[in-house]
Amino acid sequence: MVHNLIVGDFRGKLFPVNPKAEFIHSIKAYPSILDIPDPVDLAILVIPAAAVNAVADECGRKGVKGLVVVTAGFRETGEEGLAREEALRKIALRYKMRLVGPNCLGVFNADPAVSLNATFAPGIPGNGKVGFVSQSGALGIAIWTEMQNLGVGFSQFASIGNKVDVAGNALIEYWEDDPATQVIGLYIESFGDPRRFLGLARRVTRQKPIIMVKSGRTAAGARAASSHTGALAGLDNATDALLRQTGVIRARAIGDMLAMILGFTKCPLPEGPRVAILTNAGGPGIMATDALIGHGLSVAALPEETQAQLREKLPPEATTTNPVDMIAGATAENYGHCLKVLIECDEVDQIIVGFVPPVMINPMEVMRHIAESARGSKKPIFMVLMAEEHYYRRIPGEIPDAPPLYRYPEEAARTAAEMWNHVKWTRRDPGRIPVIDADRGAARRIVEEEGTPGEYLDPDAAFRLLGAYGFPLSPWRRVTTVEEAVTASNELGYPAVLKVAGRKIVHKSDVGGVVLGIRNPLEMEGAFARIRRAMEELGLDPAEEGCLVQHQETASREVILGMSTDPAIGPVLLFGLGGKYVEVMQDVTLRVHPITDVEAGEMVESIRGYALLTGVRGEESVALPVLHDALLRLSALVGDLPEVAEIDLNPFLVSPEADSCRIVDARIRIAGE
């Protein structure tokens, strides 16, 4: 650590502390921090875990402002380590010291006025534009090393380890206003404060891209859930929803993230989605085309004037439509000329240049011509070089202003797509969270007086709770006798529906707890008897469970609205095609609470079956504003009543007429103690 600080040319005073050494690296050492005569801003602790807290206390008494605790042996080791970590946290709070770590790689600040390499990672990256956070020290070293190989520098780097104090949110907030940081990269394993991250990242990504790798995507981390919404919102879907709402770009692997960082740091942002492909081989051109279309970009249509300019320096066998295939004999000069033509073409927003080196062409010469032609371009240019490994090491050092370099077309296409997505995000209307009229007092009384921790509300109470928030509901009556059922169906009208109303059955149709199409009082009597027998077979008391009677609504389409509580992220809202096959179809979309009016519309529009709602084969569109409004009411309910852990509104029957849209079934579970 001391060696790295010296080699990195730290622009400040350095005080080694060691009770047994007179000097370290030819610098006078002190037995304790309390023996240092000068004030100390930052203390870096690389000592046995058992000694950390005593030394941290000395740092506090010395007036140190910040601690970087590299030492491991805390929460990650078990109960004893957890207790040690909690004691360390309290020491930092007592003395108002900011703390990075413990169990971390260290920190790095490339600002020439500071030049602090307080890490034990090998080598020193250049001064660059990337602020990077890694929760893992081992992956931090891998990223640190690969960034040097790519010729991309950090503005600052922090390995936060157990993140007792300083975590990703604090660093994102700092980098928001840091002019040296233009791109933010994150490797995290868990969200410390998802709600704060949601608001912070939404704001920051409108100025700077944030690229994240979030580990922990497998089923082993999913929470068991009994409802439709809980099952559909499990696994890693909540994290995807959170990042989608914040404009954060999610990379699926470290290499994926580094590819995107390379593009964002070395290219201007695109003005549009139209991409030109320039290559000397047909295969890479086809691969690039497929990847671009798959990511939602378009292959630019080149005007005849542009194609004529391309043909001026190309053989007759070349193809000047897009992709532009110059054929294998294309020279460095061909690349330079054609790239300049494409840069000048108004119908092109981005360019992917592919080169597969034939024996007779020097790849370095081609790269120099490409770099020269690309210099000063206001359009992003991505270079795909399918060559021997040593070229990927040579080019960043020998041609530092070369376009970002990729091994395969798919990497370049994904980067181009995410850069355009980022631009669209910065131009997007963020929307607002409207104030919803609701009888919040009545809703609060229902939850407090009729809710049982860990259990579902009685369906009658669930409908009354939804009614307090103005949801469109199918009228209902709760009944316990056959006489009451007949009276209710006569009042509500036929055809009628009878369903069990108890708390203990989640999926009523699975146990014979629903009878549809009841046409008269006699059929209602028979339906009541059937449901009574079904309850008795399950060992339930029919009188205690009760039933609901509703008029059978008619609607052309069914949707689901819901909410479940992710243990790491919090409430997650769901919308999708509904009905009893909802878990089979899995055509749903998620957003983390709260949502804006714009996000409510996006939820409805982003499901695969959206066309079914807008109308196919001569059908009319359903009343989409009703769905938007219902999602906003759901978001308001969730925010007002944190005791509610899970909601299923399925099916929600929707029609072209707003007055005909009705929620016909609802399940609401109260959080356990």
Side-chain angles (χ1 to χ4, degrees):
M1 184 72 76
V2 175
H3 172 81
N4 280 353
L5 285 162
I6 294 170
V7 172
D9 195 25
F10 172 55
R11 311 300 291 169
K13 297 180 182 179
L14 183 60
F15 304 103
V17 176
N18 189 296
K20 298 179 181 179
E22 293 185 25
F23 58 88
I24 296 173
H25 259 291
S26 302
I27 303 173
K28 174 181 170 59
Y30 296 86
S32 162
I33 192 171
L34 298 175
D35 296 316
I36 298 173
D38 293 51
V40 175
D41 297 311
L42 173 67
I44 303 159
L45 276 57
V46 193
I47 58 178
V52 164
N53 288 352
V55 172
D57 188 79
E58 290 180 349
C59 291
R61 286 186 279 143
K62 177 67 177 175
V64 169
K65 299 179 180 67
L67 292 178
V68 175
V69 181
V70 173
T71 305
F74 289 83
R75 178 176 57 202
E76 75 279 4
T77 63
E79 291 298 321
E80 181 180 348
L82 180 62
R84 184 183 297 122
E85 183 170 296
E86 179 60 19
L88 175 62
R89 185 186 68 82
K90 290 179 179 178
I91 292 169
L93 282 173
R94 184 188 318 143
Y95 292 108
K96 298 181 180 179
M97 294 184 290
R98 298 311 304 263
L99 169 64
V100 175
N103 185 29
C104 73
L105 172 63
V107 297
F108 172 74
N109 187 346
D111 186 337
V114 180
S115 193
L116 174 79
N117 181 13
T119 75
F120 57 86
I124 302 177
N127 183 359
K129 306 173 184 178
V130 182
F132 200 95
V133 180
S134 178
Q135 193 171 343
S136 163
L139 281 171
I141 289 178
I143 292 162
W144 173 280
T145 302
E146 191 59 27
M147 291 278 278
Q148 294 175 65
N149 294 335
L150 294 172
V152 178
F154 294 108
S155 57
Q156 296 173 351
F157 173 95
S159 165
I160 54 177
N162 294 6
K163 54 180 185 179
V164 167
D165 175 26
V166 175
N169 285 345
L171 290 161
I172 291 170
E173 189 169 32
Y174 176 78
W175 288 328
E176 177 182 11
D177 297 319
D178 178 28
T181 300
Q182 297 180 21
V183 179
I184 297 171
L186 306 173
Y187 169 80
I188 65 169
E189 295 161 359
S190 62
F191 289 103
D193 185 346
R195 187 61 59 92
R196 184 178 173 217
F197 177 83
L198 179 64
L200 178 64
R202 264 177 171 162
R203 187 178 75 235
V204 174
T205 52
R206 301 189 77 81
Q207 306 174 53
K208 302 177 180 182
I210 299 176
I211 306 168
M212 174 189 289
V213 171
K214 164 69 172 66
S215 61
R217 303 198 305 262
T218 61
R223 178 178 60 89
S226 58
S227 71
H228 292 302
T229 299
L232 293 165
L235 299 178
D236 197 41
N237 296 331
T239 298
D240 275 338
L242 176 66
L243 300 186
R244 187 183 304 115
Q245 282 172 263
T246 58
V248 172
I249 301 166
R250 185 171 194 182
R252 295 291 169 173
I254 296 298
D256 192 25
M257 177 174 62
L258 292 172
M260 287 186 274
I261 286 176
L262 195 60
F264 275 104
T265 54
K266 302 198 75 171
C267 291
L269 292 173
E271 288 297 322
R274 301 167 300 178
V275 183
I277 304 165
L278 177 66
T279 179
N280 67 342
I286 295 169
M287 292 169 64
T289 300
D290 288 344
L292 290 168
I293 299 301
H295 288 300
L297 298 180
S298 61
V299 177
L302 302 182
E304 179 54 39
E305 179 184 356
T306 298
Q307 294 190 48
Q309 291 175 309
L310 292 170
R311 283 193 290 267
E312 289 176 5
K313 297 291 181 71
L314 294 178
E317 298 83 4
T319 302
T320 56
T321 55
N322 197 10
V324 178
D325 183 356
M326 300 180 293
I327 72 171
T331 65
E333 290 77 11
N334 292 147
Y335 269 97
H337 167 76
C338 291
L339 181 55
K340 286 181 181 179
V341 170
L342 294 175
I343 290 172
E344 294 299 321
C345 179
D346 291 337
E347 282 69 29
V348 171
D349 301 308
Q350 307 185 59
I351 303 169
I352 292 179
V353 182
F355 178 54
V356 181
V359 174
M360 62 282 194
I361 304 294
N362 182 350
M364 297 303 293
E365 192 64 22
V366 170
M367 288 303 304
R368 289 189 178 91
H369 274 73
I370 290 172
E372 181 180 348
S373 296
R375 195 171 295 130
S377 170
K378 295 182 180 179
K379 299 177 181 180
I381 299 167
F382 310 95
M383 183 68 209
V384 177
L385 176 64
M386 304 175 77
E388 297 174 16
E389 182 65 29
H390 67 91
Y391 287 111
Y392 301 103
R393 307 289 184 186
R394 289 181 59 189
I395 290 169
E398 296 182 28
I399 315 174
D401 62 344
L405 192 62
Y406 301 95
R407 285 174 167 81
Y408 303 107
E410 293 85 354
E411 296 175 320
R414 170 79 194 277
T415 302
E418 292 298 354
M419 290 181 69
W420 173 234
N421 288 340
H422 173 70
V423 171
K424 289 191 294 182
W425 171 262
T426 62
R427 298 173 179 175
R428 168 185 178 273
D429 177 9
R432 64 185 186 90
I433 299 176
V435 177
I436 299 296
D437 292 332
D439 189 344
R440 289 172 170 81
R444 167 61 55 195
R445 287 191 295 274
I446 292 169
V447 170
E448 292 179 351
E449 296 173 8
E450 303 184 50
T452 301
E455 295 187 9
Y456 285 91
L457 285 175
D458 179 284
D460 176 67
F463 272 104
R464 285 186 281 116
L465 177 60
L466 295 173
Y469 275 84
F471 286 90
L473 304 172
S474 176
W476 78 98
R477 300 285 189 275
R478 191 179 195 284
V479 301
T480 56
T481 67
V482 66
E483 293 79 13
E484 291 175 346
V486 170
T487 300
S489 59
N490 287 336
E491 291 176 357
L492 296 174
Y494 294 98
V497 177
L498 183 69
K499 60 181 73 170
V500 66
R503 305 166 182 256
K504 299 177 181 178
I505 300 174
V506 178
H507 304 308
K508 293 179 282 294
S509 60
D510 291 348
V511 296
V514 178
V515 180
L516 304 173
I518 301 170
R519 295 172 295 180
N520 52 55
L522 185 61
E523 289 188 3
M524 176 59 75
E525 292 175 3
F528 193 89
R530 288 203 301 275
I531 288 183
R532 183 184 183 91
R533 287 194 299 272
M535 295 305 98
E536 290 173 345
E537 289 174 2
L538 293 172
L540 300 175
D541 183 352
E544 180 181 338
E545 294 298 305
C547 290
L548 286 187
V549 176
Q550 294 172 292
H551 174 70
Q552 183 162 326
E553 306 285 350
T554 58
S556 54
R557 281 142 281 188
E558 299 180 345
V559 298
I560 178 174
L561 275 66
M563 183 276 288
S564 67
T565 305
D566 184 276
I569 291 177
V572 180
L573 307 183
L574 173 146
F575 173 81
L577 295 183
K580 64 181 180 179
Y581 301 121
V582 61
E583 287 178 49
V584 177
M585 301 299 294
Q586 295 195 8
D587 186 7
V588 299
T589 186
L590 306 175
R591 295 292 186 275
V592 173
H593 173 271
I595 61 171
T596 67
D597 53 357
V598 170
E599 288 167 337
E602 289 174 345
M603 288 184 74
V604 175
E605 294 168 12
S606 61
I607 62 171
R608 297 190 306 275
Y610 178 60
L612 298 176
L613 301 180
T614 57
V616 295
R617 296 186 178 275
E619 294 177 332
E620 292 184 71
S621 171
V622 303
L624 296 174
V626 173
L627 298 177
H628 302 163
D629 179 72
L631 282 165
L632 293 171
R633 292 183 184 279
L634 179 64
S635 183
L637 185 158
V638 169
D640 293 338
L641 301 172
E643 301 93 331
V644 174
E646 214 165 79
I647 299 174
D648 259 2
L649 309 180
N650 181 46
F652 186 167
L653 304 182
V654 288
S655 295
E657 301 80 21
D659 292 343
S660 299
C661 298
R662 295 282 188 270
I663 295 169
V664 299
D665 204 5
R667 301 290 286 175
I668 299 177
R669 186 173 64 83
I670 305 301
E673 293 180 329

